[in-house]
C-alpha cells in the first residue's frame, strides 16, 4: 500500500464511507428492481399477448410461469457460480443477460421466441434474487447490514409497482412490446454500475487476495475496524477448511441454519403473497370492483402499500431486530387473511364487502412487507457460514422459487374448487404455522458480524441466548 493511500485510508470521513456503501448497495439492489419488474409486468401484458399470439389458457400459464420455472432452475447453479467466479462478475454477466432477455421478449415474433426470452429472464432472476443480497451483506458493515440488504427488497417492491404503472400506462394502446422491453433499462444501469463496483472483501480473502480485500474494507469501514474484520474472515475460512465440500451441509451446526433458510423460503411463498401480487386485479374484480380500471387502481394501491411498508421496515430493522418484525408481520398476515376469508364467507355478496376486501388485503401486504418479505432475504444472507454461503442461499432460493411456482400454478384451481373463503383461510392457517416456526427457530442476528453468527451455530447456542 502506498503512503498516499495510507493517509487517505486513515482519513476517510465516516460520512463519505456511509455514502459510498449506500451507493454500492443501491446499485446492486437494481437486481431486485429487475426481479420485481419482470415478475410483476406479465399480469398486464398477458391481456394483449393473448390476442397477439392467440394464446390458449394453457399457453398463458406457460408464458406466466416461464420466469418462475427459469428462476427455480437457475437458483440451483447460481450459488456455485457466485462461489466460483465471485459475486461481482456474476452480477455483471446477469445484468447483460437481463438486457438481452428483455429485448428478445420485446421483439418476439413467435410464442417460442417469447417463452425463450422469458425463460432467459427467469434464469437471471433466479440467480440475482440471492446474489444481490449476498453481495450487499458481504460489503455492508454489521450495524447497517439489515437496512442495506433490505434495500434489495425495497427495490423488488418498487419494481412491482413500476410494472403496474407501466402496464396501465400502455394498457390503452396495448403496447405489450414496450411493457416487456422497458426491463432493459435497469439492466443497462446495473451493468454499468457493476463495472465500477468492487468485489466483496470476503470473497477476495477466500481467493487469497487480502490486499484487494483490504482496499475494499477501507472504503466501506472506518480504518480501525479493518484489521479486526480481516482476522475474523480468516478465522472463518479456517473453519471452512475443516468442513468437507457438500458434506458440510450435513454437519449439525449447518443443519440448523439450513432448516431456517429453507423453511422461511417455503413459508414466504405458501402464505400466499404472490396470489395477491400476480392476481390482485382478478381478486378485486371478484370482490366487487367491477370495472377493470377500478381493480387496476386497487392493485396499484396494494403495490404502493408494499413499497411504503418496506420503507418502514428498512428504517427500523437494525433497531427493532429481525425477530420482532418477523413475528409481528406474520401474526398480522394471519389476522388480515382470516378477516378477508371471513368477509367472503359471511358477507361476500354485500355491497360493503369490497371495502373490507381491499382493507384486509392491503393490511396483509403491509404486514408481509415489514416481516417475511424483507426478513427472509436478509436472514438467508446472514445465517449461513461462509464456506457454504453461496450454495446454501442457492438451496433456500430454489425452495422459494419452486414454491412460488407451485402456488402460482395451483391458486386459480384452488379458487375454483374450494372458493375464495377456504383458499384464503388456508393461507391464514399456513401463516399461523409460519409464526410458530419463526418463534421456535429464528435467532436474532441484528448488530452481529457474520462471523459471530457462524460461531453461534458451531457452539450450538439455543435461540434464547443469541
Ligand atoms: C418475494 C416475492 C414477492 C415480493 C413481493 C419478495 O420478497 O420473494 O415472491 O413477489 O417479495 O414484494
Amino acid at each position: 500500500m502506498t503512503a498516499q493511500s495510507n493517509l487517505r485510508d486513515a482519513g476517510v470521513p465516516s460520512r463519505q464511507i456511509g455514502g459510498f456503501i449506500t451507493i454500492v448497495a443501491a446499485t446492486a439492489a437494481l437486481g431486485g428492481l429487475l426481479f420485481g419488474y419482470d415478475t410483476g409486468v406479465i399480469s398486464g401484458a398477458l391481456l394483449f399477448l393473448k390476442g397477439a399470439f392467440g394464446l390458449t389458457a394453457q399457453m398463458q400459464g406457460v408464458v406466466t410461469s416461464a420466469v418462475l420455472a427459469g428462476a427455480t432452475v437457475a437458483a440451483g447453479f447460481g450459488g456455485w457460480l457466485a462461489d466460483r467466479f465471485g459475486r461481482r462478475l456474476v452480477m455483471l454477466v446477469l445484468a447483460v443477460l437481463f438486457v438481452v432477455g428483455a429485448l428478445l421478449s420485446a421483439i418476439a415474433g413467435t410464442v417460442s421466441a417469447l417463452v425463450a426470452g422469458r425463460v432467459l429472464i427467469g434464469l437471471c432472476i433466479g440467480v440475482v434474487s440471492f446474489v444481490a443480497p449476498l453481495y450487499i451483506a458481504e460489503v455492508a458493515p454489521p450495524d447497517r447490514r439489515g437496512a442495506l440488504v433490505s434495500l434489495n427488497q425495497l427495490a423488488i417492491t418498487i419494481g412491482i409497482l413500476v410494472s403496474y404503472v407501466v402496464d396501465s400506462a400502455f394498457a390503452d394502446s396495448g403496447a405489450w412490446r414496450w411493457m416487456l422491453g422497458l426491463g432493459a433499462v435497469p439492466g443497462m444501469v446495473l451493468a454499468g454500475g457493476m463495472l465500477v463496483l468492487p468485489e466483496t472483501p470476503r470473497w477476495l480473502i477466500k481467493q487469497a487476495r487480502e490486499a484487494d480485500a483490504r482496499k475494499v474494507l477501507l472504503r466501506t469501514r472506518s480504518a480501525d475496524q479493518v484489521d479486526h474484520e480481516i482476522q475474523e474472515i480468516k478465522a472463518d475460512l479456517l473453519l471452512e477448511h475443516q468442513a468437507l465440500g457438500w458434506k458440510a451441509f450435513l454437519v449439525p451446526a449447518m443443519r440448523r441454519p439450513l432448516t431456517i433458510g429453507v423453511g422461511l423460503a417455503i413459508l414466504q411463498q405458501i402464505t400466499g403473497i404472490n396470489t395477491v401480487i400476480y392476481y390482485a386485479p382478478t381478486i378485486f374484480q371478484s370482490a366487487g370492483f367491477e370495472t377493470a380500471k377500478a381493480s387496476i387502481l386497487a392493485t396499484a394501491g396494494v403495490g404502493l402499500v408494499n413499497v411504503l411498508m418496506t420503507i418502514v421496515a428498512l428504517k427500523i430493522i437494525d433497531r427493532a431486530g429481525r425477530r420482532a418484525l418477523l413475528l409481528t408481520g406474520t401474526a398480522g398476515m394471519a389476522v388480515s387473511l382470516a378477516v378477508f376469508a371471513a368477509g367472503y364467507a359471511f358477507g361476500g355478496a354485500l355491497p360493503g364487502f369490497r371495502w373490507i376486501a381491499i382493507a384486509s388485503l392491503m393490511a396483509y401486504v403491509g404486514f408481509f412487507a415489514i416481516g417475511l418479505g424483507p426478513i427472509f432475504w436478509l436472514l438467508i444472507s446472514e445465517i449461513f457460514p461462509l464456506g457454504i454461503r453461496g450454495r446454501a442461499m442457492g438451496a433456500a432460493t430454489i425452495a422459494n422459487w419452486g414454491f412460488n411456482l407451485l402456488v402460482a400454478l395451483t391458486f386459480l384451481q384452488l379458487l375454483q374448487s374450494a372458493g375464495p373463503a377456504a383458499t384464503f383461510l388456508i393461507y391464514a392457517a399456513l401463516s399461523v404455522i409460519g409464526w410458530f416456526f419463526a418463534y421456535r427457530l429464528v435467532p436474532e442476528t441484528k448488530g452481529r458480524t457474520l462471523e459471530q453468527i457462524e460461531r453461534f451455530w458451531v457452539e450450538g447456542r439455543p435461540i434464547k441466548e443469541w
Side-chain angles (χ1 to χ4, degrees):
M1 214 179 343
T2 63
Q4 197 187 6
S5 73
N6 254 331
L7 265 184
R8 193 193 55 230
D9 300 338
V12 179
S14 61
R15 205 155 33 93
Q16 214 167 309
I17 291 176
F20 176 69
I21 189 82
T22 307
I23 293 174
V24 170
T27 311
L30 284 174
L33 192 89
L34 285 158
F35 167 169
Y37 185 84
D38 282 311
T39 49
V41 76
I42 199 69
S43 62
L46 204 59
L47 299 173
F48 307 104
L49 291 170
K50 263 192 271 184
F53 293 107
L55 297 181
T56 59
Q58 202 188 7
M59 275 317 284
Q60 286 175 46
V62 172
V63 172
T64 312
S65 324
V67 162
L68 304 180
T72 311
V73 172
F77 54 80
W80 178 80
L81 287 176
D83 282 349
R84 176 83 179 74
F85 298 104
R87 290 62 168 125
R88 179 182 160 267
L89 184 62
V90 169
M91 289 279 288
L92 178 62
V93 174
L94 282 176
V96 174
L97 292 179
F98 260 120
V99 177
V100 175
L103 297 180
L104 263 184
S105 330
I107 59 168
T110 61
V111 184
S112 345
L114 178 68
V115 172
R118 296 294 291 166
V119 170
L120 177 60
I121 288 182
L123 292 171
C124 296
I125 297 184
V127 181
V128 88
S129 60
F130 74 92
V131 179
L134 169 66
Y135 175 87
I136 302 172
E138 289 190 347
V139 181
D143 56 335
R144 294 186 57 205
R145 192 178 56 234
L148 289 170
V149 174
S150 303
L151 273 182
N152 189 60
Q153 173 70 18
L154 178 62
I156 296 175
T157 62
I158 294 177
I160 293 172
L161 181 61
V162 170
S163 78
Y164 289 165
V165 172
V166 168
D167 277 357
S168 46
F170 287 113
D172 286 340
S173 55
W176 62 269
R177 292 184 189 279
W178 278 101
M179 298 177 187
L180 300 183
L182 276 176
V185 178
M188 285 180 218
V189 182
L190 179 62
M194 289 319 295
L195 276 176
V196 293
L197 292 194
E199 179 50 84
T200 74
R202 286 185 171 74
W203 190 80
L204 287 169
I205 291 182
K206 205 172 159 201
Q207 305 301 308
R209 291 168 55 188
E210 188 177 327
D212 292 333
R214 179 177 292 276
K215 278 189 211 143
V216 181
L217 283 168
L218 280 166
R219 296 179 74 189
T220 52
R221 308 283 191 280
S222 59
D224 54 337
Q225 292 171 346
V226 169
D227 283 324
H228 178 66
E229 190 145 346
I230 290 182
Q231 289 319 317
E232 277 210 318
I233 295 175
K234 281 187 171 167
D236 218 31
L237 284 169
L238 272 182
L239 279 182
E240 181 200 337
H241 279 299
Q242 293 160 9
L244 298 166
W246 287 99
K247 284 198 192 133
F249 280 79
L250 303 176
V251 175
M254 311 285 145
R255 237 185 280 141
R256 275 174 74 199
L258 261 181
T259 310
I260 295 170
V262 174
L264 285 179
I266 297 173
L267 285 166
Q268 199 205 36
Q269 295 301 326
I270 60 174
T271 46
I273 186 64
N274 288 315
T275 62
V276 181
I277 300 291
Y278 304 160
Y279 298 106
T282 318
I283 301 176
F284 283 129
Q285 263 181 351
S286 80
F289 287 92
E290 269 140 29
T291 66
K293 195 163 174 118
S295 61
I296 285 175
L297 254 182
T299 304
V302 164
L304 193 62
V305 168
N306 198 9
V307 173
L308 295 178
M309 291 306 282
T310 307
I311 295 177
V312 172
L314 230 88
K315 293 239 175 262
I316 56 178
I317 206 163
D318 283 311
R319 266 175 296 133
R322 289 58 166 149
R323 250 180 90 80
L325 287 186
L326 188 58
L327 292 174
T328 313
T330 318
M333 283 165 68
V335 173
S336 326
L337 283 170
V339 170
F340 183 75
Y344 244 117
F346 301 115
L350 302 178
F353 170 63
R354 56 191 174 148
W355 300 113
I356 297 182
I358 192 167
S360 54
L361 280 192
M362 280 188 174
Y364 164 70
V365 170
F367 280 116
F368 174 86
I370 60 160
L372 262 178
I375 289 178
F376 160 65
W377 293 109
L378 173 59
L379 279 177
I380 66 163
S381 73
E382 297 183 324
I383 58 173
F384 296 123
L386 178 61
I388 59 161
R389 191 169 295 148
R391 284 166 298 165
M393 284 185 79
T397 310
I398 297 176
N400 191 261
W401 287 108
F403 278 84
N404 187 334
L405 181 61
L406 191 80
V407 173
L409 291 178
T410 52
F411 172 64
L412 289 180
Q413 271 152 336
L414 200 61
L415 209 56
Q416 262 168 13
S417 55
T423 302
F424 285 95
L425 203 59
I426 293 175
Y427 299 135
L430 291 167
S431 305
V432 173
I433 294 177
W435 190 91
F436 280 105
F437 179 90
Y439 181 75
R440 291 296 301 271
L441 295 179
V442 176
E444 184 51 79
T445 52
K446 86 171 165 188
R448 307 206 183 282
T449 63
L450 299 181
E451 290 68 35
Q452 280 168 342
I453 296 174
E454 172 156 1
R455 233 169 294 133
F456 280 11
W457 293 130
V458 175
E459 291 164 7
R461 293 225 197 160
I463 299 306
K464 277 196 214 111
E465 278 179 29
W466 280 59

